[in-house]
Amino acid sequence: MSKKVTTIDERRLKTPIILATEEKRKQAKRREQNVVVVGLGYVGLPLALLAEKKGFTVGGLDINLGKINALKNGLAPELNADEQSLLKKSKIKFSHSDRIIKDADVVIVCVPTPVHKDHTPDLKPLREAATAVGKNLQPGTLVLVESTVNPGVCQETVIPILEKNSGLKVEEDFFFAHCPERINPGDKNFTVATIPRVIGADSEASRRKAASFYRSILDADVVSNLEIREAESVKMVENAFRDINIAFVNELAMSFDRLGIDVLHVIDAASTKPFGFMTHLPGCGVGGHCIPVDPYYLIDYAKKNGFSHRFIKTAREINNQMPFYTINRLKGILRDKDKKLSEANVALLGLAYKRDISDCRESPALVIAEKLRAAGTKVIPFDPFYTEENTYLTLEDTLSAADYVIVATDHTLFREITPEILKHYNIEAVIDGRNCLSKDDFVKAGIIYRGIGR
Ligand code: SAJ
């Protein structure tokens, strides 16, 4: 019988001192490596700080001079506490000039990929970033694109711009890979260092270089056996998957409102099934820079190649209508009181697209505010994280000026609102756009409650 060979984990044989010495040697080697991150938003800045923490010499480029000046002064409110402390002691060279790219061994493009009003992809930021990189690209550099794009963008848009502006040839003069970002803003468990990543490349040399770089900064798995277009597709699939599942529960919510069934009770119960079910929750809409945006990139590209994504498109339509559905919940209450929207003073609680963050991009709350105002409603917005738009400085002042409340973001502060508080301010009804309040308590207290699906 063959002797069972036990593979001994080499690391276990090394003493902590040997491991620490090895890490120090790797860090010293990395210090010779210059990494430049292009785009210092919620993706690029944490990545730049992580690369520096892991020993690389790092430069950060952004077209926003105000952001660069703030960063030079150690100011970046959107960072979490750990990242803030890294920024305070950081030696990252923050620059507004793309010449910083000339010294880079690794360039990482982390610029936004939004959509136009008609939901078609807006690649302008990415094209501009690729042009800046191309103009300063040196032979031997590894170019990594983290921005979320549909299949084809790297090979059909980015690489041609890099080659045209540098006179260099991809895979001959410089290396290229795509590693879609997977940041989840506000997530304290999964951070830039711990989220597994996927890499797509079209040559073994680029693949190896990209995998080696990410493995040197991440404490997470790196899957590197994809082609570029596959890696571009992974992100599209991840986010369309989430959007479709949210649309599913949003449709259930609208149906169950008619049927008088509490959709949250049903979803909670279905979630007890340990397999074959994944919990998603209905709400007043789908915001953010990823979920409501990315599916349109895939829809648009597939359409250009002769395929119409009916299911993904329908999911987008369902989710886009949720702000209007939320307003209709209020209209139903007013109708019973023979009132119109133009006679209502509505406290709109929450502008951010999700809990306990300040980001309002594509937020359904902004659609609700716009449509209510168009109907003549007096909208009194309040968001503890996004103070620019607040009518009043406190929640109490906001409630004192309102007759009705719409909760559009389930910030922790709003989850603590009790019926007594609303009664104190003579609030007649609450539309709970995030189903984050206790329906039974409000009904018992005689306050009209409408959730989304309950
Ligand atoms: N939402 C619902 N119901 C849900 C989940 C979310 O209505 O069950 C709404 C949220 O209120 C928000 C929007 O959808 O308005 C997006 O929420 P999100 O939790 O997906 O938050 P994002 O946009 O920050 O998504 C990020 C994404 N990360 C990347 O794209 C790299 C996404 O892929 C992650 O799945 C998501 O975080 C996550 O899982 O938290």
Side-chain angles (χ1 to χ4, degrees):
M1 189 171 82
S2 64
K3 189 166 167 301
K4 192 169 179 313
V5 177
T6 50
T7 49
I8 294 171
D9 173 355
E10 270 183 35
R11 286 174 59 89
R12 280 197 302 133
L13 289 183
K14 291 177 180 169
T15 63
I17 293 175
I18 294 176
L19 287 171
T21 317
E22 275 183 0
E23 181 52 27
K24 271 226 173 336
R25 199 173 331 109
K26 280 180 195 163
Q27 292 229 359
K29 197 166 168 311
R30 283 176 210 148
R31 221 173 311 286
E32 297 148 23
Q33 284 248 311
N34 193 327
V35 174
V36 172
V37 176
V38 180
L40 298 170
Y42 74 94
V43 174
L45 185 54
L47 183 63
L49 291 166
L50 177 63
E52 183 184 46
K53 180 182 170 188
K54 294 291 184 177
F56 289 94
T57 303
V58 179
L61 170 66
D62 202 287
I63 55 171
N64 181 330
L65 187 55
K67 180 188 280 277
I68 290 296
N69 291 336
L71 289 170
K72 283 178 175 173
N73 292 307
L75 300 173
E78 73 279 12
L79 293 178
N80 66 35
D82 293 348
E83 291 161 343
Q84 293 279 1
S85 59
L86 284 176
L87 180 61
K88 287 266 178 295
K89 56 191 180 197
S90 159
K91 292 191 175 43
I92 294 175
K93 191 173 167 221
F94 293 112
S95 172
H96 181 57
S97 158
D98 56 29
R99 282 195 302 281
I100 191 175
I101 295 168
K102 283 192 185 312
D103 306 329
D105 302 297
V106 180
V107 181
I108 316 174
V109 178
C110 302
V111 296
T113 46
V115 285
H116 295 294
K117 273 256 178 267
D118 64 356
H119 299 314
T120 53
D122 174 6
L123 289 177
K124 184 167 179 283
L126 185 58
R127 291 178 194 279
E128 287 176 349
T131 303
V133 174
K135 281 187 336 190
N136 298 281
L137 190 59
Q138 300 303 308
T141 304
L142 169 63
V143 179
L144 299 167
V145 170
E146 289 214 357
S147 302
T148 302
V149 292
N150 58 266
V153 166
C154 287
Q155 291 162 326
E156 298 164 18
T157 303
V158 178
I159 290 173
I161 292 173
L162 291 173
E163 293 182 324
K164 176 170 162 261
N165 287 277
S166 65
L168 301 176
K169 190 93 185 76
V170 72
E171 306 310 351
E172 290 173 24
D173 304 315
F174 66 93
F175 303 95
F176 184 94
H178 177 56
C179 181
E181 62 90 3
R182 277 181 166 169
I183 290 287
N184 179 22
D187 193 325
K188 295 182 178 50
N189 301 320
F190 294 108
T191 66
V192 60
T194 61
I195 297 172
R197 304 293 293 273
V198 297
I199 294 172
D202 284 349
S203 80
E204 275 320 298
S206 293
R207 185 185 313 287
R208 248 196 330 276
K209 273 182 167 292
S212 161
F213 170 72
Y214 279 104
R215 288 188 177 118
S216 71
I217 64 169
L218 299 179
D219 306 322
D221 289 341
V222 174
V223 170
S224 62
N225 62 348
L226 298 175
E227 293 166 21
I228 290 177
R229 283 156 50 94
E230 291 172 330
E232 292 166 322
S233 305
V234 165
K235 182 66 182 292
M236 293 287 122
V237 166
E238 285 167 2
N239 286 355
F241 173 85
R242 190 161 174 80
D243 197 45
I244 285 167
N245 280 281
I246 296 168
F248 168 57
V249 290
N250 279 336
E251 182 174 86
L252 283 180
M254 292 186 282
S255 162
F256 285 15
D257 272 336
R258 294 272 174 190
L259 302 175
I261 296 171
D262 186 319
V263 75
L264 233 50
H265 288 170
V266 173
I267 291 171
D268 286 349
S271 302
T272 58
K273 185 179 175 189
F275 50 85
F277 185 81
M278 185 185 258
T279 306
H280 287 78
L281 301 171
C284 59
V286 174
H289 32 272
C290 305
I291 310 304
V293 169
D294 298 349
Y296 288 120
Y297 271 73
L298 180 56
I299 290 166
D300 180 78
Y301 188 62
K303 189 173 160 205
K304 284 181 181 144
N305 287 273
F307 181 79
S308 168
H309 272 283
R310 289 179 304 144
F311 186 32
I312 296 179
K313 235 185 281 184
T314 302
R316 284 281 71 241
E317 286 157 10
I318 290 171
N319 289 335
N320 283 343
Q321 79 172 71
M322 294 316 288
F324 302 93
Y325 184 77
T326 304
I327 292 171
N328 284 340
R329 298 291 271 163
L330 173 62
K331 274 167 82 173
I333 293 169
L334 293 171
R335 200 177 308 118
D336 296 345
K337 295 168 174 281
D338 282 334
K339 283 191 176 176
K340 298 194 289 293
L341 281 174
S342 55
E343 300 168 271
N345 301 325
V346 176
L348 179 61
L349 303 188
L351 293 170
Y353 79 85
K354 75 175 182 179
R355 181 188 312 174
D356 295 350
I357 65 169
S358 62
D359 194 337
C360 291
R361 276 174 289 184
E362 309 286 328
S363 175
L366 303 181
V367 177
I368 292 170
E370 182 196 341
K371 297 306 170 196
L372 282 176
R373 285 182 172 131
T377 306
K378 183 177 176 228
V379 178
I380 308 140
F382 177 78
D383 189 311
F385 290 84
Y386 189 77
T387 51
E388 287 86 345
E389 295 285 315
N390 288 348
T391 304
Y392 296 103
L393 292 180
T394 67
L395 173 59
E396 292 69 19
D397 290 347
T398 303
L399 294 175
S400 63
D403 309 313
Y404 305 94
V405 165
I406 293 180
V407 179
T409 314
D410 57 338
H411 289 317
T412 303
L413 175 68
F414 301 151
R415 300 170 80 88
E416 290 155 6
I417 291 173
T418 63
E420 291 67 33
I421 291 173
L422 296 195
K423 282 182 94 68
H424 175 75
Y425 291 101
N426 302 316
I427 299 293
E428 297 178 41
V430 57
I431 312 297
D432 186 359
R434 291 293 171 199
N435 292 330
C436 62
L437 301 174
S438 162
K439 170 183 170 185
D440 296 344
D441 292 351
F442 283 84
V443 171
K444 272 189 212 120
I447 291 177
I448 302 171
Y449 175 96
R450 296 285 185 279
I452 307 295
R454 63 197 300 245

